[in-house]
């Protein structure tokens, strides 16, 4: 029987695409966002912060309501909302006292702010390689990087999955190190039943445009330690002119920034935060369906989830084996993209290869071989497991994978230039 050409011929080679509609990249905005923003506008208090001791030191009503929501959800004593997760990461490093000459261990496979926040404190980022199954920092690699100057470990729960926190906490306790958790991609993620962000000393969440919930720009740090919370608040809001007047605990070393979140942003974040579990629940349903569909395909390894952990699939990472699939990753991605499926080879360049790190001693190609192999050879990132997409959309993604894998013959010819 002759196969239906239009159905089987790859879009890259002139055939019909599997999907014509683009995948959505914008957040869902509901009625409550409008209501709460209007409330702020009506109040004319666009920012409640004043850099003086007293109530207003902690911001306006929306900022505080947002912080209450975080405290309740994370069962955490303190939440400090800021204008970005980058700000909150910097404040966290300042709060734990990471300073000039101190070393902070961080994975190289993360959004650059995880590492630049360390530089902002004049501390030294020390890159420890990742685990090749979950893509988060490897405890064994952390241990190998500890020196007498190590001050903290900055863990990143990458792509929406928890790092191996028990092992990391054990290493931290043994060496008296602070653990800061970068949860920008992992709100509501569980590690052995515990919410990430509450396992280390400080957890940092992002509310930027591209994250699971968003107010445009914003970040929140949570902690159970009141001294760290006060330091975070001082860094957020010009602490140097506030600390002496506070009369209680004084931290004369504090340099404050303006990391204050506006009331309108906080209002949007409140409405978004209430939707968090529903949004992540939907992501998990989509991702699990896609995993069932991709399982067993030659050369494709769907994301692994360790134990009973909860992965929220900020993105859907797939491992690609070029030898098994029979075509290069670059070509596979080109063919998948042509079918109308958004995807990319790898996530971000290993951070130590960016100029600001590369010109510092010891940062060069080859430093973290697993990260480099994932980034340059094996990982395919699909930003598809999100609302308002449906199970049907996931079927299309899986169909595109199958179609491309069925057509590696023509693809190889195309690569050789004979098509
Ligand atoms: C987005 C992100 C950040 C920075 O968040 P902003 O709110 O944009 O500053 C930090 N770390 C990771 C892992 C991120 O994904």
């Amino acid at each position: 029987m002759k196969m239906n050409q239009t159905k089987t011929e790859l879009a890259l080679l002139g055939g019909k695409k599997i999907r014509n509609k683009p995948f959505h990249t914008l957040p869902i905005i509901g009625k409550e966002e409008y209501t709460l923003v209007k409330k702020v506008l009506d109040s004319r208090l666009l920012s409640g912060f004043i850099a003086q001791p007293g109530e207003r030191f902690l911001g306006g009503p929306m900022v505080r309501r947002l912080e209450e929501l975080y405290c309740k959800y994370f069962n955490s004593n303190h939440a400090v909302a800021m204008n970005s997760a980058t700000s909150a990461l910097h404040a966290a490093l300042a709060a734990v006292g990471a300073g000039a000459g101190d070393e902070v261990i961080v994975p190289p496979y993360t959004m650059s702010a995880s590492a630049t926040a360390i530089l902002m404190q004049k501390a030294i980022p020390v890159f420890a390689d990742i685990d090749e199954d979950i893509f988060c920092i490897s405890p064994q690699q952390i241990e190998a990087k500890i020196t007498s100057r190590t001050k903290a470990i900055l863990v990143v729960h990458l792509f929406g999955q928890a790092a191996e926190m028990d092992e990391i906490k054990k290493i931290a306790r043994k060496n008296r190190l602070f653990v800061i958790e970068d949860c920008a991609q992992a709100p509501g993620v569980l590690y052995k039943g515990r919410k990430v962000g509450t396992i280390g000393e400080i957890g940092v969440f992002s509310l930027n445009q591209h994250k699971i919930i968003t107010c445009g720009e914003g970040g929140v740090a949570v902690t159970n330690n009141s001294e760290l919370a006060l330091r975070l608040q001082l860094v957020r809001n010009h602490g140097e002119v506030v600390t002496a007047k506070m009369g209680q605990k004084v931290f004369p070393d504090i340099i404050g920034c303006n990391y204050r979140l506006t009331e309108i942003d906080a209002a949007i974040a409140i409405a978004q935060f209430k939707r968090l579990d529903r949004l992540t629940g939907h992501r998990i349903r989509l991702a699990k369906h896609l995993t069932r569909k991709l399982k067993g395909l030659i050369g494709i390894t769907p994301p692994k989830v360790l134990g009973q952990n909860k992965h929220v699939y900020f993105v859907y990472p797939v491992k690609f084996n070029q030898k098994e699939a029979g075509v290069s990753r670059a070509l596979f991605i080109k063919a998948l993209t042509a079918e109308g499926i958004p995807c990319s080879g790898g996530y971000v360049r290993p951070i130590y290869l960016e100029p600001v790190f590369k010109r510092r001693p010891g940062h060069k190609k080859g430093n973290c071989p697993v990260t480099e192999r994932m980034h340059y050879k094996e990982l395919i990132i699909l930003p598809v497991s999100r609302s308002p997409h449906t199970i049907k959309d996931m079927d299309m993604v899986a169909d595109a994978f199958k179609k491309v894998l069925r057509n590696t013959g023509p693809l190889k010819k195309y690569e050789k230039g004979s098509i």
Side-chain angles (χ1 to χ4, degrees):
M1 194 172 73
K2 202 164 180 277
M3 279 216 220
N4 179 346
Q5 275 309 111
T6 53
K7 236 193 160 172
T8 55
E9 173 137 326
L10 292 171
L12 181 64
L13 308 179
K16 232 174 111 187
K17 283 168 123 183
I18 291 252
R19 184 187 174 88
N20 290 302
K21 267 197 314 186
F23 275 80
H24 295 265
T25 56
L26 294 174
I28 289 171
I29 304 289
K31 227 174 164 178
E32 195 177 3
E33 279 87 341
Y34 287 91
T35 310
L36 290 177
V37 167
K38 183 170 186 305
K39 209 169 157 186
V40 175
L41 288 172
D42 289 344
S43 79
R44 289 183 291 159
L45 187 72
L46 302 184
S47 172
F49 283 100
I50 298 178
Q52 272 173 22
E55 290 257 298
R56 301 281 296 273
F57 172 64
L58 298 175
M62 290 297 179
V63 164
R64 290 205 238 158
R65 203 160 127 203
L66 177 66
E67 291 175 344
E68 272 168 31
L69 289 174
Y70 271 79
C71 282
K72 207 166 146 207
Y73 183 87
F74 290 102
N75 192 19
S76 169
N77 293 341
H78 308 275
V80 184
M82 301 191 212
N83 57 6
S84 74
T86 304
S87 302
L89 285 169
H90 174 227
L93 287 155
V96 302
D102 290 334
E103 295 175 356
V104 179
I105 298 175
V106 64
Y109 214 36
T110 176
M111 194 251 159
S112 64
S114 319
T116 45
I118 300 166
L119 289 183
M120 284 156 80
Q121 275 303 102
K122 298 191 167 61
I124 303 163
V126 174
F127 294 101
D129 210 347
I130 59 170
D131 176 278
E132 70 164 88
D133 286 324
I134 61 169
F135 317 118
C136 294
I137 194 166
S138 142
Q140 292 74 31
Q141 295 300 321
I142 292 174
E143 202 146 32
K145 299 284 179 173
I146 287 174
T147 72
S148 58
R149 294 194 296 180
T150 310
K151 181 86 182 180
I153 304 166
L154 202 158
V155 176
V156 182
H157 304 298
L158 198 71
F159 303 153
Q161 167 147 243
E164 292 180 86
M165 291 308 290
D166 277 350
E167 289 80 353
I168 293 170
K169 283 284 282 186
K170 208 190 274 169
I171 295 166
R173 264 197 301 274
K174 199 170 102 191
N175 296 281
R176 298 172 175 273
L177 307 175
F178 289 99
V179 175
I180 297 169
E181 296 177 76
D182 179 342
C183 315
Q185 304 183 0
V189 163
L190 297 179
Y191 173 77
K192 297 188 181 173
R194 299 172 68 189
K195 287 196 172 114
V196 302
T198 64
I199 304 170
E201 275 68 40
I202 301 176
V204 170
F205 298 86
S206 174
L207 290 161
N208 95 15
Q209 174 75 24
H210 313 287
K211 298 297 155 54
I212 294 178
I213 53 168
T214 176
C215 61
E217 305 289 354
V220 180
V222 298
T223 181
N224 277 326
N225 180 312
S226 0
E227 183 176 321
L228 290 178
L230 179 55
R231 283 175 183 262
L232 288 167
Q233 289 159 349
L234 288 163
V235 175
R236 169 174 69 178
N237 187 10
H238 307 294
E240 67 283 352
V241 295
V242 182
T243 169
K245 297 180 198 151
M246 278 192 156
Q248 25 156 324
K249 259 222 153 99
V250 178
F251 305 121
D253 55 325
I254 285 284
I255 299 172
C257 301
N258 176 355
Y259 286 165
R260 307 180 302 201
L261 184 67
T262 72
E263 285 290 285
I264 286 182
D265 286 330
I268 298 169
I270 289 167
Q272 291 268 311
F273 193 70
K274 292 181 183 167
R275 222 177 270 130
L276 175 62
D277 282 339
R278 243 180 304 143
L279 289 174
T280 53
H282 187 66
R283 280 173 179 267
I284 292 165
R285 276 193 298 281
L286 294 180
K288 282 191 169 163
H289 183 79
L290 188 52
T291 294
R292 275 195 297 275
K293 289 266 174 160
L294 295 182
K295 225 172 221 165
L297 292 188
I298 293 205
I300 302 296
T301 309
K304 280 185 190 151
V305 184
L306 291 192
Q308 294 301 305
N309 291 354
K310 179 173 167 186
H311 190 326
V312 299
Y313 303 95
F314 171 65
V315 291
Y316 186 90
V318 164
K319 264 163 80 172
F320 179 79
N321 185 319
Q322 169 170 343
K323 258 196 208 139
E324 285 177 19
V327 285
S328 71
R329 185 183 69 170
L331 191 54
F332 188 83
I333 285 169
K334 204 169 165 188
L336 214 52
T337 306
E339 297 300 333
I341 307 302
C343 59
S344 64
Y347 171 51
V348 290
R349 240 166 31 131
I351 296 182
Y352 51 81
L353 298 180
E354 297 302 341
V356 71
F357 299 100
K358 213 175 170 188
R359 64 189 172 79
R360 288 174 158 77
H363 295 151
K364 56 177 191 304
K365 200 143 193 183
N367 272 4
C368 294
V370 177
T371 298
E372 291 181 18
R373 178 158 50 86
M374 290 307 122
H375 183 65
Y376 292 108
K377 292 194 173 137
E378 295 187 14
L379 254 182
I380 297 177
I381 300 290
L382 296 141
V384 296
S385 49
R386 55 175 296 165
S387 294
H389 300 137
T390 61
I391 294 287
K392 248 194 189 141
D393 294 320
M394 298 306 106
D395 286 340
M396 285 183 177
V397 174
D399 287 347
F401 267 83
K402 289 175 192 166
K403 183 178 172 191
V404 176
L405 286 170
R406 259 199 325 265
N407 285 280
T408 49
L411 269 182
K412 270 186 264 185
K413 278 189 205 155
Y414 166 86
E415 200 166 30
K416 281 194 206 127
S418 55
I419 288 187

